[in-house]
Amino acid sequence: MSYTIPKMKCLIIDDEPLARFHLKELADQIDFLTVEGTCATALEADAKVKETAIDLLFLDINMPYLNGLDFLEQLENPPLCILTTAYSEYALEGFRLQVADYLLKPIAFNRFYQAVNRAQQQFIISEKAKKNTLMDDPYLYVRQSDSFIKVSWIDILYIESMQNYTKIHFKDKSLVIHQTMKAIEESLPSDHFFRIHKSYLINITHIDMISGGRLFINKTELPISRTRKEELLNQVVYKKLISK
């Protein structure tokens, strides 16, 4: 069975507009990176990381309000991180936080390329481990007050985000859990689940039809955001298209 390496979703965090622009320009040259956004502060990034599944941070250290290291340290499940700074004295602190690499500004492309390749190697190892675990054991547990309900991710139709809660939809029932969409997305196999909208994560095996900006699962109509539609067609539909 061949293994397709998913692209790494990255987030650029720097309070300097020129630095953000330069990093995005560098990242756009790398085919295995997709820039999900850029943030001017760690506070802005905190909200983005909690809402979106991010695989890699490009994180500046010296920023107002909350510096990069403090931000990284308080993240519950931090993504891979490449620190970017003009000051070399932070290198040891970065290694303590187990960052993938440490880039000194101004950042040259060859050094950037080296750093993202290092991050990708770590990413591949963790993705393969996650995938093997999920394939061997398709069961998860969902907490409902003081009970734990065993569910199979294969039976999940789609997942709906409801602010601080998430609703998991099955054919014959739905379960509301106190968990972020990002955390659930990270615990499910990425080749079976696809984020079609900031509020919806779907199990691609249960898609009945895609029409325009809508998708149908078990007679339920769900919206597809414009930015996600092309990726959905490329990753899911066109690979299995038998009629042009």
Side-chain angles (χ1 to χ4, degrees):
M1 188 171 132
S2 67
Y3 175 69
T4 310
I5 299 158
K7 287 192 173 196
M8 296 178 75
K9 295 173 182 170
C10 58
L11 185 66
I12 294 163
I13 309 153
D14 201 303
D15 61 325
E16 296 170 37
L18 275 174
R20 292 197 299 276
F21 177 80
H22 179 56
L23 274 166
K24 185 175 185 315
E25 213 171 32
L26 294 176
D28 285 343
Q29 306 308 309
I30 311 289
D31 62 356
F32 59 79
L33 294 181
T34 55
V35 178
E36 291 290 308
T38 63
C39 299
T41 67
L43 296 171
E44 193 188 329
D46 196 41
K48 185 88 176 167
V49 167
K50 282 173 181 158
E51 165 195 302
T52 313
I54 299 291
D55 304 309
L56 176 64
L57 300 175
F58 292 100
L59 180 62
D60 183 33
I61 294 174
N62 286 65
M63 289 186 290
Y65 309 114
L66 182 66
N67 80 35
L69 293 171
D70 291 339
F71 162 66
L72 188 62
E73 199 151 18
Q74 60 83 41
L75 285 175
E76 208 173 314
N77 296 306
L80 286 164
C81 178
I82 293 172
L83 290 175
T84 63
T85 181
Y87 306 96
S88 59
E89 66 264 26
Y90 289 113
L92 277 173
E93 192 69 9
F95 287 115
R96 183 180 70 79
L97 291 167
Q98 297 182 310
V99 299
D101 213 332
Y102 182 95
L103 293 175
L104 274 176
K105 296 175 181 177
I107 300 163
F109 181 76
N110 65 330
R111 186 65 191 87
F112 177 85
Y113 186 66
Q114 195 180 21
V116 294
N117 272 292
R118 183 176 292 176
Q120 194 203 28
Q121 291 311 310
Q122 293 183 29
F123 178 66
I124 291 167
I125 291 163
S126 68
E127 283 294 299
K128 281 187 172 172
K130 202 169 14 171
K131 187 169 177 164
N132 290 340
T133 307
L134 285 158
M135 288 304 170
D136 293 343
D137 185 5
Y139 295 103
L140 304 161
Y141 282 88
V142 174
R143 188 179 197 133
Q144 296 285 279
S145 62
D146 59 350
S147 304
F148 298 92
I149 300 169
K150 186 181 182 184
V151 299
S152 166
W153 59 258
I154 295 155
D155 298 328
I156 296 171
L157 300 180
Y158 65 95
I159 296 160
E160 182 182 1
S161 173
M162 303 160 69
Q163 288 178 321
N164 297 330
Y165 292 87
T166 308
K167 194 172 191 178
I168 303 174
H169 294 266
F170 299 88
K171 266 189 177 152
D172 53 353
K173 64 179 176 186
S174 59
L175 297 170
V176 175
I177 61 169
H178 188 66
Q179 184 58 282
T180 64
M181 181 72 105
K182 176 183 177 284
I184 291 178
E185 188 172 0
E186 284 178 350
S187 63
L188 291 166
S190 59
D191 52 347
H192 283 78
F193 286 83
F194 189 92
R195 188 83 162 260
I196 57 165
H197 186 277
K198 66 178 170 56
S199 301
Y200 294 100
L201 176 69
I202 60 141
N203 186 338
I204 62 171
T205 55
H206 293 293
I207 296 171
D208 294 321
M209 183 172 79
I210 298 165
S211 176
R214 297 164 305 153
L215 181 144
F216 294 84
I217 291 181
N218 196 35
K219 299 191 177 77
T220 303
E221 182 181 323
L222 302 173
I224 311 170
S225 70
R226 273 185 309 149
T227 53
R228 303 298 287 143
K229 188 181 174 186
E230 195 177 336
E231 202 177 332
L232 175 70
L233 293 174
N234 286 329
Q235 283 189 21
V236 178
V237 180
Y238 295 150
K239 286 179 181 176
K240 294 180 182 287
L241 193 63
I242 56 168
S243 60
K244 299 287 181 262

mmCIF file of all heavy atoms in Angstrom, residues 163-201:
data_model
loop_
_atom_site.group_PDB
_atom_site.id
_atom_site.type_symbol
_atom_site.label_atom_id
_atom_site.label_comp_id
_atom_site.label_asym_id
_atom_site.label_seq_id
_atom_site.Cartn_x
_atom_site.Cartn_y
_atom_site.Cartn_z
ATOM 1 N N GLN A 163 -19.059 26.312 18.441
ATOM 2 C CA GLN A 163 -18.276 27.134 19.370
ATOM 3 C C GLN A 163 -17.384 26.262 20.257
ATOM 4 O O GLN A 163 -16.454 25.665 19.778
ATOM 5 C CB GLN A 163 -19.195 28.051 20.172
ATOM 6 C CG GLN A 163 -19.745 29.168 19.285
ATOM 7 C CD GLN A 163 -20.694 30.079 20.023
ATOM 8 O OE1 GLN A 163 -21.499 29.649 20.844
ATOM 9 N NE2 GLN A 163 -20.628 31.359 19.726
ATOM 10 N N ASN A 164 -17.687 26.124 21.546
ATOM 11 C CA ASN A 164 -16.821 25.340 22.433
ATOM 12 C C ASN A 164 -17.138 23.841 22.416
ATOM 13 O O ASN A 164 -16.473 23.059 23.081
ATOM 14 C CB ASN A 164 -16.937 25.837 23.883
ATOM 15 C CG ASN A 164 -16.453 27.260 24.010
ATOM 16 O OD1 ASN A 164 -15.570 27.670 23.256
ATOM 17 N ND2 ASN A 164 -17.029 28.005 24.925
ATOM 18 N N TYR A 165 -18.175 23.484 21.677
ATOM 19 C CA TYR A 165 -18.576 22.080 21.620
ATOM 20 C C TYR A 165 -18.471 21.562 20.192
ATOM 21 O O TYR A 165 -18.374 22.331 19.245
ATOM 22 C CB TYR A 165 -20.018 21.901 22.123
ATOM 23 C CG TYR A 165 -20.157 22.172 23.588
ATOM 24 C CD1 TYR A 165 -20.377 23.474 24.058
ATOM 25 C CD2 TYR A 165 -20.051 21.142 24.513
ATOM 26 C CE1 TYR A 165 -20.480 23.731 25.418
ATOM 27 C CE2 TYR A 165 -20.152 21.396 25.872
ATOM 28 C CZ TYR A 165 -20.370 22.688 26.322
ATOM 29 O OH TYR A 165 -20.458 22.931 27.660
ATOM 30 N N THR A 166 -18.513 20.255 20.040
ATOM 31 C CA THR A 166 -18.471 19.631 18.726
ATOM 32 C C THR A 166 -19.517 18.526 18.694
ATOM 33 O O THR A 166 -19.675 17.792 19.663
ATOM 34 C CB THR A 166 -17.061 19.036 18.472
ATOM 35 O OG1 THR A 166 -16.087 20.035 18.714
ATOM 36 C CG2 THR A 166 -16.923 18.573 17.044
ATOM 37 N N LYS A 167 -20.234 18.452 17.575
ATOM 38 C CA LYS A 167 -21.284 17.440 17.438
ATOM 39 C C LYS A 167 -20.831 16.395 16.418
ATOM 40 O O LYS A 167 -20.504 16.737 15.282
ATOM 41 C CB LYS A 167 -22.577 18.115 16.966
ATOM 42 C CG LYS A 167 -23.819 17.258 17.113
ATOM 43 C CD LYS A 167 -25.055 18.097 16.812
ATOM 44 C CE LYS A 167 -26.327 17.378 17.195
ATOM 45 N NZ LYS A 167 -27.512 18.214 16.934
ATOM 46 N N ILE A 168 -20.781 15.129 16.836
ATOM 47 C CA ILE A 168 -20.378 14.035 15.954
ATOM 48 C C ILE A 168 -21.650 13.350 15.442
ATOM 49 O O ILE A 168 -22.465 12.864 16.228
ATOM 50 C CB ILE A 168 -19.485 13.016 16.700
ATOM 51 C CG1 ILE A 168 -18.249 13.719 17.280
ATOM 52 C CG2 ILE A 168 -19.049 11.901 15.753
ATOM 53 C CD1 ILE A 168 -17.383 12.828 18.142
ATOM 54 N N HIS A 169 -21.816 13.336 14.123
ATOM 55 C CA HIS A 169 -23.026 12.773 13.516
ATOM 56 C C HIS A 169 -22.783 11.366 12.980
ATOM 57 O O HIS A 169 -21.838 11.140 12.225
ATOM 58 C CB HIS A 169 -23.500 13.668 12.361
ATOM 59 C CG HIS A 169 -23.956 15.030 12.795
ATOM 60 N ND1 HIS A 169 -25.270 15.328 13.072
ATOM 61 C CD2 HIS A 169 -23.251 16.172 13.011
ATOM 62 C CE1 HIS A 169 -25.358 16.601 13.429
ATOM 63 N NE2 HIS A 169 -24.151 17.136 13.398
ATOM 64 N N PHE A 170 -23.659 10.451 13.369
ATOM 65 C CA PHE A 170 -23.654 9.084 12.858
ATOM 66 C C PHE A 170 -24.976 8.881 12.102
ATOM 67 O O PHE A 170 -25.830 9.766 12.099
ATOM 68 C CB PHE A 170 -23.570 8.067 14.002
ATOM 69 C CG PHE A 170 -22.328 8.194 14.839
ATOM 70 C CD1 PHE A 170 -22.292 9.058 15.941
ATOM 71 C CD2 PHE A 170 -21.188 7.460 14.543
ATOM 72 C CE1 PHE A 170 -21.147 9.187 16.707
ATOM 73 C CE2 PHE A 170 -20.040 7.578 15.313
ATOM 74 C CZ PHE A 170 -20.016 8.441 16.393
ATOM 75 N N LYS A 171 -25.174 7.704 11.504
ATOM 76 C CA LYS A 171 -26.425 7.458 10.758
ATOM 77 C C LYS A 171 -27.648 7.528 11.659
ATOM 78 O O LYS A 171 -28.682 8.060 11.295
ATOM 79 C CB LYS A 171 -26.363 6.095 10.066
ATOM 80 C CG LYS A 171 -25.877 6.219 8.639
ATOM 81 C CD LYS A 171 -25.999 4.928 7.871
ATOM 82 C CE LYS A 171 -25.547 5.183 6.424
ATOM 83 N NZ LYS A 171 -25.013 4.027 5.765
ATOM 84 N N ASP A 172 -27.527 6.973 12.850
ATOM 85 C CA ASP A 172 -28.708 6.844 13.708
ATOM 86 C C ASP A 172 -28.649 7.666 14.989
ATOM 87 O O ASP A 172 -29.532 7.566 15.835
ATOM 88 C CB ASP A 172 -28.918 5.359 14.052
ATOM 89 C CG ASP A 172 -27.643 4.728 14.631
ATOM 90 O OD1 ASP A 172 -26.594 5.414 14.634
ATOM 91 O OD2 ASP A 172 -27.695 3.568 15.078
ATOM 92 N N LYS A 173 -27.572 8.444 15.177
ATOM 93 C CA LYS A 173 -27.463 9.227 16.418
ATOM 94 C C LYS A 173 -26.445 10.342 16.231
ATOM 95 O O LYS A 173 -25.720 10.390 15.233
ATOM 96 C CB LYS A 173 -27.032 8.324 17.587
ATOM 97 C CG LYS A 173 -25.639 7.736 17.399
ATOM 98 C CD LYS A 173 -25.206 6.872 18.575
ATOM 99 C CE LYS A 173 -23.849 6.242 18.270
ATOM 100 N NZ LYS A 173 -23.409 5.296 19.267
ATOM 101 N N SER A 174 -26.384 11.226 17.201
ATOM 102 C CA SER A 174 -25.307 12.228 17.223
ATOM 103 C C SER A 174 -24.868 12.417 18.678
ATOM 104 O O SER A 174 -25.657 12.243 19.605
ATOM 105 C CB SER A 174 -25.763 13.545 16.607
ATOM 106 O OG SER A 174 -26.858 14.060 17.300
ATOM 107 N N LEU A 175 -23.586 12.736 18.862
ATOM 108 C CA LEU A 175 -23.036 12.929 20.199
ATOM 109 C C LEU A 175 -22.415 14.316 20.284
ATOM 110 O O LEU A 175 -21.672 14.724 19.393
ATOM 111 C CB LEU A 175 -21.951 11.882 20.491
ATOM 112 C CG LEU A 175 -22.369 10.408 20.514
ATOM 113 C CD1 LEU A 175 -21.145 9.517 20.569
ATOM 114 C CD2 LEU A 175 -23.278 10.121 21.701
ATOM 115 N N VAL A 176 -22.722 15.037 21.349
ATOM 116 C CA VAL A 176 -22.134 16.362 21.563
ATOM 117 C C VAL A 176 -21.017 16.211 22.585
ATOM 118 O O VAL A 176 -21.222 15.654 23.664
ATOM 119 C CB VAL A 176 -23.196 17.377 22.054
ATOM 120 C CG1 VAL A 176 -22.543 18.723 22.381
ATOM 121 C CG2 VAL A 176 -24.277 17.566 20.993
ATOM 122 N N ILE A 177 -19.808 16.685 22.218
ATOM 123 C CA ILE A 177 -18.684 16.566 23.137
ATOM 124 C C ILE A 177 -18.003 17.913 23.342
ATOM 125 O O ILE A 177 -18.063 18.792 22.482
ATOM 126 C CB ILE A 177 -17.653 15.502 22.664
ATOM 127 C CG1 ILE A 177 -17.062 15.864 21.296
ATOM 128 C CG2 ILE A 177 -18.257 14.130 22.637
ATOM 129 C CD1 ILE A 177 -15.873 15.005 20.902
ATOM 130 N N HIS A 178 -17.369 18.049 24.481
ATOM 131 C CA HIS A 178 -16.657 19.280 24.809
ATOM 132 C C HIS A 178 -15.216 19.135 24.317
ATOM 133 O O HIS A 178 -14.335 18.691 25.042
ATOM 134 C CB HIS A 178 -16.703 19.517 26.322
ATOM 135 C CG HIS A 178 -16.150 20.854 26.726
ATOM 136 N ND1 HIS A 178 -16.763 22.028 26.376
ATOM 137 C CD2 HIS A 178 -15.041 21.199 27.417
ATOM 138 C CE1 HIS A 178 -16.054 23.043 26.854
ATOM 139 N NE2 HIS A 178 -14.996 22.562 27.484
ATOM 140 N N GLN A 179 -15.010 19.472 23.039
ATOM 141 C CA GLN A 179 -13.689 19.320 22.427
ATOM 142 C C GLN A 179 -13.612 20.245 21.216
ATOM 143 O O GLN A 179 -14.631 20.508 20.578
ATOM 144 C CB GLN A 179 -13.489 17.856 22.002
ATOM 145 C CG GLN A 179 -12.121 17.502 21.438
ATOM 146 C CD GLN A 179 -10.990 17.809 22.396
ATOM 147 O OE1 GLN A 179 -10.590 18.961 22.529
ATOM 148 N NE2 GLN A 179 -10.472 16.792 23.068
ATOM 149 N N THR A 180 -12.431 20.751 20.897
ATOM 150 C CA THR A 180 -12.308 21.634 19.736
ATOM 151 C C THR A 180 -12.264 20.796 18.454
ATOM 152 O O THR A 180 -11.845 19.641 18.467
ATOM 153 C CB THR A 180 -11.020 22.485 19.796
ATOM 154 O OG1 THR A 180 -9.885 21.608 19.735
ATOM 155 C CG2 THR A 180 -10.959 23.328 21.055
ATOM 156 N N MET A 181 -12.677 21.426 17.369
ATOM 157 C CA MET A 181 -12.651 20.762 16.063
ATOM 158 C C MET A 181 -11.217 20.377 15.699
ATOM 159 O O MET A 181 -10.962 19.292 15.164
ATOM 160 C CB MET A 181 -13.225 21.709 15.004
ATOM 161 C CG MET A 181 -13.271 21.131 13.620
ATOM 162 S SD MET A 181 -14.537 19.871 13.437
ATOM 163 C CE MET A 181 -15.763 20.762 12.519
ATOM 164 N N LYS A 182 -10.276 21.246 16.012
ATOM 165 C CA LYS A 182 -8.868 21.011 15.680
ATOM 166 C C LYS A 182 -8.362 19.724 16.358
ATOM 167 O O LYS A 182 -7.722 18.890 15.733
ATOM 168 C CB LYS A 182 -8.026 22.201 16.110
ATOM 169 C CG LYS A 182 -6.535 22.007 15.886
ATOM 170 C CD LYS A 182 -5.755 23.196 16.397
ATOM 171 C CE LYS A 182 -4.269 22.977 16.241
ATOM 172 N NZ LYS A 182 -3.673 22.067 17.213
ATOM 173 N N ALA A 183 -8.674 19.564 17.649
ATOM 174 C CA ALA A 183 -8.213 18.381 18.394
ATOM 175 C C ALA A 183 -8.816 17.106 17.812
ATOM 176 O O ALA A 183 -8.133 16.077 17.695
ATOM 177 C CB ALA A 183 -8.566 18.517 19.864
ATOM 178 N N ILE A 184 -10.092 17.155 17.421
ATOM 179 C CA ILE A 184 -10.737 15.977 16.831
ATOM 180 C C ILE A 184 -10.117 15.667 15.475
ATOM 181 O O ILE A 184 -9.819 14.519 15.162
ATOM 182 C CB ILE A 184 -12.260 16.196 16.698
ATOM 183 C CG1 ILE A 184 -12.888 16.227 18.090
ATOM 184 C CG2 ILE A 184 -12.908 15.101 15.866
ATOM 185 C CD1 ILE A 184 -14.347 16.481 18.116
ATOM 186 N N GLU A 185 -9.914 16.713 14.667
ATOM 187 C CA GLU A 185 -9.331 16.525 13.333
ATOM 188 C C GLU A 185 -7.962 15.855 13.428
ATOM 189 O O GLU A 185 -7.619 14.989 12.629
ATOM 190 C CB GLU A 185 -9.215 17.885 12.634
ATOM 191 C CG GLU A 185 -8.813 17.783 11.183
ATOM 192 C CD GLU A 185 -8.891 19.110 10.431
ATOM 193 O OE1 GLU A 185 -9.266 20.133 11.026
ATOM 194 O OE2 GLU A 185 -8.565 19.110 9.237
ATOM 195 N N GLU A 186 -7.189 16.241 14.433
ATOM 196 C CA GLU A 186 -5.845 15.675 14.593
ATOM 197 C C GLU A 186 -5.871 14.224 15.052
ATOM 198 O O GLU A 186 -4.912 13.487 14.852
ATOM 199 C CB GLU A 186 -5.038 16.525 15.582
ATOM 200 C CG GLU A 186 -4.569 17.827 14.953
ATOM 201 C CD GLU A 186 -3.809 18.716 15.920
ATOM 202 O OE1 GLU A 186 -3.799 18.406 17.131
ATOM 203 O OE2 GLU A 186 -3.249 19.720 15.462
ATOM 204 N N SER A 187 -6.970 13.793 15.673
ATOM 205 C CA SER A 187 -7.020 12.415 16.168
ATOM 206 C C SER A 187 -7.681 11.458 15.173
ATOM 207 O O SER A 187 -7.812 10.272 15.435
ATOM 208 C CB SER A 187 -7.745 12.362 17.518
ATOM 209 O OG SER A 187 -9.078 12.783 17.367
ATOM 210 N N LEU A 188 -8.083 11.982 14.006
ATOM 211 C CA LEU A 188 -8.710 11.145 12.979
ATOM 212 C C LEU A 188 -7.789 11.021 11.764
ATOM 213 O O LEU A 188 -6.985 11.913 11.506
ATOM 214 C CB LEU A 188 -10.054 11.767 12.553
ATOM 215 C CG LEU A 188 -11.155 11.733 13.615
ATOM 216 C CD1 LEU A 188 -12.294 12.649 13.229
ATOM 217 C CD2 LEU A 188 -11.670 10.309 13.844
ATOM 218 N N PRO A 189 -7.895 9.915 10.992
ATOM 219 C CA PRO A 189 -6.994 9.731 9.851
ATOM 220 C C PRO A 189 -7.233 10.766 8.748
ATOM 221 O O PRO A 189 -8.353 10.904 8.250
ATOM 222 C CB PRO A 189 -7.310 8.312 9.361
ATOM 223 C CG PRO A 189 -8.643 7.984 9.917
ATOM 224 C CD PRO A 189 -8.824 8.781 11.160
ATOM 225 N N SER A 190 -6.172 11.502 8.379
ATOM 226 C CA SER A 190 -6.311 12.618 7.430
ATOM 227 C C SER A 190 -6.679 12.171 6.016
ATOM 228 O O SER A 190 -7.173 12.960 5.230
ATOM 229 C CB SER A 190 -5.021 13.434 7.395
ATOM 230 O OG SER A 190 -3.938 12.608 7.021
ATOM 231 N N ASP A 191 -6.457 10.888 5.690
ATOM 232 C CA ASP A 191 -6.845 10.448 4.342
ATOM 233 C C ASP A 191 -8.314 9.999 4.285
ATOM 234 O O ASP A 191 -8.809 9.635 3.226
ATOM 235 C CB ASP A 191 -5.907 9.343 3.820
ATOM 236 C CG ASP A 191 -5.762 8.184 4.776
ATOM 237 O OD1 ASP A 191 -6.177 8.326 5.948
ATOM 238 O OD2 ASP A 191 -5.238 7.131 4.373
ATOM 239 N N HIS A 192 -9.014 10.023 5.408
ATOM 240 C CA HIS A 192 -10.450 9.700 5.424
ATOM 241 C C HIS A 192 -11.325 10.894 5.806
ATOM 242 O O HIS A 192 -12.520 10.904 5.512
ATOM 243 C CB HIS A 192 -10.733 8.550 6.407
ATOM 244 C CG HIS A 192 -10.342 7.216 5.872
ATOM 245 N ND1 HIS A 192 -9.038 6.777 5.855
ATOM 246 C CD2 HIS A 192 -11.074 6.218 5.291
ATOM 247 C CE1 HIS A 192 -8.985 5.573 5.309
ATOM 248 N NE2 HIS A 192 -10.199 5.218 4.967
ATOM 249 N N PHE A 193 -10.742 11.856 6.490
ATOM 250 C CA PHE A 193 -11.526 13.008 6.934
ATOM 251 C C PHE A 193 -11.016 14.284 6.278
ATOM 252 O O PHE A 193 -9.810 14.487 6.162
ATOM 253 C CB PHE A 193 -11.482 13.133 8.460
ATOM 254 C CG PHE A 193 -12.337 12.089 9.134
ATOM 255 C CD1 PHE A 193 -11.846 10.810 9.353
ATOM 256 C CD2 PHE A 193 -13.648 12.369 9.512
ATOM 257 C CE1 PHE A 193 -12.635 9.824 9.936
ATOM 258 C CE2 PHE A 193 -14.444 11.397 10.096
ATOM 259 C CZ PHE A 193 -13.940 10.120 10.313
ATOM 260 N N PHE A 194 -11.961 15.124 5.846
ATOM 261 C CA PHE A 194 -11.601 16.336 5.108
ATOM 262 C C PHE A 194 -12.401 17.515 5.657
ATOM 263 O O PHE A 194 -13.612 17.427 5.841
ATOM 264 C CB PHE A 194 -11.901 16.134 3.615
ATOM 265 C CG PHE A 194 -11.377 17.221 2.727
ATOM 266 C CD1 PHE A 194 -10.119 17.121 2.146
ATOM 267 C CD2 PHE A 194 -12.131 18.358 2.493
ATOM 268 C CE1 PHE A 194 -9.624 18.127 1.330
ATOM 269 C CE2 PHE A 194 -11.647 19.376 1.690
ATOM 270 C CZ PHE A 194 -10.388 19.263 1.105
ATOM 271 N N ARG A 195 -11.727 18.633 5.890
ATOM 272 C CA ARG A 195 -12.391 19.847 6.392
ATOM 273 C C ARG A 195 -12.961 20.608 5.201
ATOM 274 O O ARG A 195 -12.227 21.173 4.399
ATOM 275 C CB ARG A 195 -11.344 20.689 7.139
ATOM 276 C CG ARG A 195 -11.900 21.884 7.882
ATOM 277 C CD ARG A 195 -12.430 21.472 9.240
ATOM 278 N NE ARG A 195 -12.573 22.616 10.119
ATOM 279 C CZ ARG A 195 -11.705 22.943 11.060
ATOM 280 N NH1 ARG A 195 -10.639 22.208 11.272
ATOM 281 N NH2 ARG A 195 -11.904 23.990 11.807
ATOM 282 N N ILE A 196 -14.286 20.602 5.034
ATOM 283 C CA ILE A 196 -14.904 21.276 3.882
ATOM 284 C C ILE A 196 -15.268 22.725 4.202
ATOM 285 O O ILE A 196 -15.607 23.501 3.303
ATOM 286 C CB ILE A 196 -16.178 20.531 3.386
ATOM 287 C CG1 ILE A 196 -17.208 20.379 4.517
ATOM 288 C CG2 ILE A 196 -15.830 19.199 2.756
ATOM 289 C CD1 ILE A 196 -18.610 19.994 4.044
ATOM 290 N N HIS A 197 -15.195 23.073 5.496
ATOM 291 C CA HIS A 197 -15.668 24.380 5.952
ATOM 292 C C HIS A 197 -15.140 24.541 7.368
ATOM 293 O O HIS A 197 -14.846 23.550 8.020
ATOM 294 C CB HIS A 197 -17.210 24.333 5.946
ATOM 295 C CG HIS A 197 -17.898 25.618 6.250
ATOM 296 N ND1 HIS A 197 -18.092 26.043 7.533
ATOM 297 C CD2 HIS A 197 -18.437 26.552 5.436
ATOM 298 C CE1 HIS A 197 -18.744 27.205 7.495
ATOM 299 N NE2 HIS A 197 -18.951 27.533 6.242
ATOM 300 N N LYS A 198 -15.017 25.769 7.853
ATOM 301 C CA LYS A 198 -14.491 25.910 9.221
ATOM 302 C C LYS A 198 -15.384 25.215 10.260
ATOM 303 O O LYS A 198 -14.927 24.838 11.320
ATOM 304 C CB LYS A 198 -14.246 27.374 9.594
ATOM 305 C CG LYS A 198 -15.451 28.262 9.691
ATOM 306 C CD LYS A 198 -15.003 29.653 10.114
ATOM 307 C CE LYS A 198 -16.046 30.715 10.024
ATOM 308 N NZ LYS A 198 -17.282 30.509 10.725
ATOM 309 N N SER A 199 -16.642 24.986 9.899
ATOM 310 C CA SER A 199 -17.561 24.342 10.848
ATOM 311 C C SER A 199 -17.833 22.871 10.576
ATOM 312 O O SER A 199 -18.543 22.228 11.344
ATOM 313 C CB SER A 199 -18.909 25.082 10.849
ATOM 314 O OG SER A 199 -18.724 26.421 11.203
ATOM 315 N N TYR A 200 -17.295 22.329 9.469
ATOM 316 C CA TYR A 200 -17.619 20.936 9.125
ATOM 317 C C TYR A 200 -16.396 20.124 8.703
ATOM 318 O O TYR A 200 -15.622 20.543 7.845
ATOM 319 C CB TYR A 200 -18.654 20.872 7.986
ATOM 320 C CG TYR A 200 -19.997 21.422 8.371
ATOM 321 C CD1 TYR A 200 -20.379 22.712 8.005
ATOM 322 C CD2 TYR A 200 -20.886 20.665 9.138
ATOM 323 C CE1 TYR A 200 -21.607 23.235 8.380
ATOM 324 C CE2 TYR A 200 -22.113 21.167 9.520
ATOM 325 C CZ TYR A 200 -22.476 22.454 9.142
ATOM 326 O OH TYR A 200 -23.680 22.954 9.527
ATOM 327 N N LEU A 201 -16.280 18.949 9.320
ATOM 328 C CA LEU A 201 -15.251 17.968 8.970
ATOM 329 C C LEU A 201 -16.011 16.715 8.537
ATOM 330 O O LEU A 201 -16.849 16.226 9.287
ATOM 331 C CB LEU A 201 -14.381 17.677 10.199
ATOM 332 C CG LEU A 201 -13.305 16.601 10.085
ATOM 333 C CD1 LEU A 201 -12.174 17.054 9.166
ATOM 334 C CD2 LEU A 201 -12.725 16.281 11.466
#
